[in-house]
Amino acid sequence: MSAAVSGLRRRVSVLCPAGLTSQLQTSPPVRRPAAGRRTAHTQTADGNVQPLDGIRVLDLTRVLAGPFATMILGDLGAEVIKVERPGAGDDTRAWGPPFIASESVYYLSVNRNKKSIAVDLKNPRGAKIIQELSGVCDVLVENYLPGKLHQMGLGYEQLSRMNPQLIYCSISGYGQTGPQSQSPGYDSIASAVSGMMHITGPEDGDPVRPGVAMTDLATGLYAHGAIMAALLQRHKTGKGVHIDCNLLSSQVSCLSHVAANYLNAGKEARRWGTAHESIVPYQGFKTKDGHVVVAAGNDKQFVKVCQVLELMELTEEPNYKTNKLRVQHRRALLHTLSQRFLQENTADWLRRFEGSGVPVGPINSIQEVFSTPQVKHNGLIQEMNHPTAGRITVPGPAVRFSGFSPSRPTPPPLIGQHTAQVLRDTLSYSDDIIKALLESRAVTQNDVS
């Protein structure tokens, strides 16, 4: 008996009911070509090779930070296998309205270019499937409470013994260790604890939650970058690594100069609305019909602002000669500027500032954002055909590369849409084994009609 067949029979004995196990011991199972770790690069007719083609990602995340990170990896060509709970799936599948057919738009926004398998991790057979998948994957991303997957035999130490090259990225609220490590991580809570809410909102108003979950999104970006770095390190060392990525650390690091102001000068931060603490004028101004943001980052640009506003007398005012002085006397200056901006429409001001060298822009509604020619030119409107929702549109990838173009995106999957496919093609399970797993409810399959 070959080692491969012996190993397969040991796997079957764990996964299959006793009757089927004995049957398969007397009749060798149908073998399918083992996919294993992908190494070949798929090249399109135009020579387009994706940077992460050949990389397989096992995605045990849900909600936003993790799915956002793995979607970016999928955009770059990685094969992403999304593991979901049978029945409910990713939490965001229920986050609505709005829904398109039965699909939550929230879920659709961050789950393109993925395959979905529905596996019950509490079922020993389900946990065994994840162990085997981790053996043929390059990257595993998870956002369970620290220690939870270890209890299921799916922790980094356990899986790295089976696959020393595995890059295991854990996303949590506060980190894998420490006094708050067992606290659940939510964007709004981490945004508050990290100080982000403290510095966000009207100058004289209450703290405000940012309009999108910036702490989650920043963590997803950090996770994506860390995984890319780990892949490069593995290329040099041949070894995988455990990545500890969390909401608190991501947001605190993004406090940037606000944090440095306190750490170096003991200066507590405050809310400034649309204004900038250290630059004047650098904020939004109300116009006759909307708002416009002006960012005069130096003294020459301030003079240009005064020219456009026809307020050249301000350039002769001693209190406004330098940015430092303008910051000290901001209230009087901003009052004068605000009164002038109210006298004309936003479009008129944009025309006046055109060619001045001063950065300006309107505060757009979301409708106006996606009507902007530059947004369309940058490919930020991406359309796909979803199996149940029909034609859907989501924000496209933010980055362009000269050496390749993103492949045609695949729509966000249904729960368990690819369960049988992954078991068959990636783990070489026979149809009988897959049938037994489906009957045991360790996995479920969504057959798209």
Side-chain angles (χ1 to χ4, degrees):
M1 182 187 299
S2 70
V5 172
S6 175
L8 179 62
R9 289 189 175 177
R10 283 195 298 272
R11 181 177 72 191
V12 169
S13 67
V14 174
L15 293 173
C16 295
L20 183 56
T21 301
S22 61
Q23 177 184 348
L24 290 173
Q25 286 174 341
T26 57
S27 301
V30 177
R31 296 299 305 275
R32 299 182 181 276
R37 189 180 305 285
R38 299 189 305 159
T39 56
H41 298 286
T42 303
Q43 184 167 312
T44 59
D46 60 358
N48 192 35
V49 177
Q50 305 294 302
L52 293 185
D53 185 60
I55 298 297
R56 182 181 287 137
V57 178
L58 187 58
D59 181 3
L60 277 74
T61 69
R62 62 266 187 219
V63 187
L64 184 54
F68 185 56
T70 56
M71 181 181 70
I72 297 173
L73 299 176
D75 288 342
L76 295 174
E79 178 189 3
V80 180
I81 301 173
K82 181 180 178 71
V83 180
E84 300 192 71
R85 293 172 296 168
D90 189 316
D91 294 354
T92 59
R93 289 184 181 274
W95 287 10
F99 292 91
I100 302 178
S102 60
E103 302 298 323
S104 158
V105 172
Y106 196 117
Y107 168 82
L108 295 175
S109 70
V110 288
N111 283 288
R112 64 173 174 261
N113 293 327
K114 301 178 185 181
K115 300 174 181 176
S116 172
I117 63 172
V119 182
D120 182 1
L121 298 189
K122 296 180 180 179
N123 187 313
R125 297 174 182 171
K128 184 67 174 177
I129 290 171
I130 303 305
Q131 288 177 353
E132 295 198 356
L133 282 172
S134 71
V136 294
C137 285
D138 301 276
V139 179
L140 184 151
V141 190
E142 59 90 7
N143 62 352
Y144 282 75
L145 201 65
K148 191 69 174 178
L149 287 181
H150 181 84
Q151 297 172 6
M152 304 178 190
L154 302 175
Y156 170 69
E157 297 82 2
Q158 296 148 320
L159 298 185
S160 63
R161 285 196 293 267
M162 301 168 57
N163 179 6
Q165 292 189 322
L166 181 66
I167 294 165
Y168 191 112
C169 179
S170 295
I171 299 175
S172 62
Y174 301 93
Q176 296 299 297
T177 59
Q180 286 185 272
S181 62
Q182 292 302 302
S183 299
Y186 291 89
D187 172 89
S188 59
I189 306 303
S191 180
V193 173
S194 69
M196 176 68 164
M197 282 192 192
H198 177 70
I199 61 174
T200 305
E203 184 174 353
D204 299 317
D206 293 330
V208 170
R209 175 185 177 274
V212 293
M214 286 308 305
T215 302
D216 265 343
L217 294 172
T219 305
L221 288 170
Y222 267 116
H224 148 250
I227 290 167
M228 298 295 281
L231 286 168
L232 181 59
Q233 183 188 46
R234 190 185 71 176
H235 179 71
K236 298 175 180 179
T237 67
K239 297 180 180 179
V241 69
H242 185 208
I243 299 169
D244 178 356
C245 197
N246 65 83
L247 304 185
L248 178 66
S249 295
S250 297
Q251 188 57 72
V252 170
S253 72
C254 286
L255 293 178
S256 184
H257 68 281
V258 172
N261 287 346
Y262 170 76
L263 294 172
N264 293 280
K267 185 173 183 178
E268 180 58 80
R270 50 171 289 194
R271 290 179 288 284
W272 288 98
T274 65
H276 195 291
E277 178 181 17
S278 306
I279 310 172
V280 174
Y282 196 106
Q283 66 179 73
F285 293 94
K286 191 171 183 180
T287 67
K288 188 180 288 187
D289 65 345
H291 295 83
V292 63
V293 174
V294 176
N298 56 51
D299 296 336
K300 289 183 179 180
Q301 289 181 342
F302 172 68
V303 173
K304 289 287 188 180
V305 170
C306 293
Q307 289 176 346
V308 172
L309 269 60
E310 300 174 348
L311 294 172
M312 286 301 293
E313 64 272 16
L314 296 178
T315 63
E316 302 301 322
E317 170 62 50
N319 288 342
Y320 305 151
K321 286 291 185 181
T322 67
N323 180 69
K324 181 178 179 180
L325 290 169
R326 291 193 296 275
V327 170
Q328 292 173 357
H329 301 91
R330 70 164 67 222
R331 192 169 295 277
L333 174 58
L334 293 176
H335 175 75
T336 300
L337 298 180
S338 296
Q339 293 302 308
R340 179 71 180 99
F341 274 108
L342 283 170
Q343 295 173 11
E344 301 199 34
N345 294 332
T346 297
D348 295 329
W349 284 124
L350 294 177
R351 281 192 293 270
R352 283 174 174 265
F353 273 100
E354 189 172 352
S356 69
V358 178
V360 298
I363 298 181
N364 284 330
S365 67
I366 304 304
Q367 179 182 10
E368 291 167 333
V369 168
F370 289 103
S371 299
T372 302
Q374 190 65 47
V375 169
K376 295 178 180 179
H377 173 79
N378 287 359
L380 293 171
I381 302 175
Q382 190 170 71
E383 295 183 335
M384 292 168 282
N385 289 316
H386 188 273
T388 59
R391 195 71 169 168
I392 64 170
T393 308
V394 298
V399 180
R400 287 182 168 187
F401 299 82
S402 63
F404 76 96
S405 56
S407 59
R408 187 174 182 178
T410 59
L414 304 175
I415 302 172
Q417 181 179 340
H418 304 94
T419 300
Q421 176 190 334
V422 169
L423 295 179
R424 182 180 300 112
D425 297 343
T426 307
L427 294 181
S428 302
Y429 282 15
S430 71
D431 291 339
D432 286 342
I433 295 175
I434 295 172
K435 180 181 178 182
L437 289 169
L438 290 169
E439 290 176 348
S440 72
R441 305 298 294 175
V443 302
T444 59
Q445 167 71 32
N446 191 324
D447 295 313
V448 183
S449 57

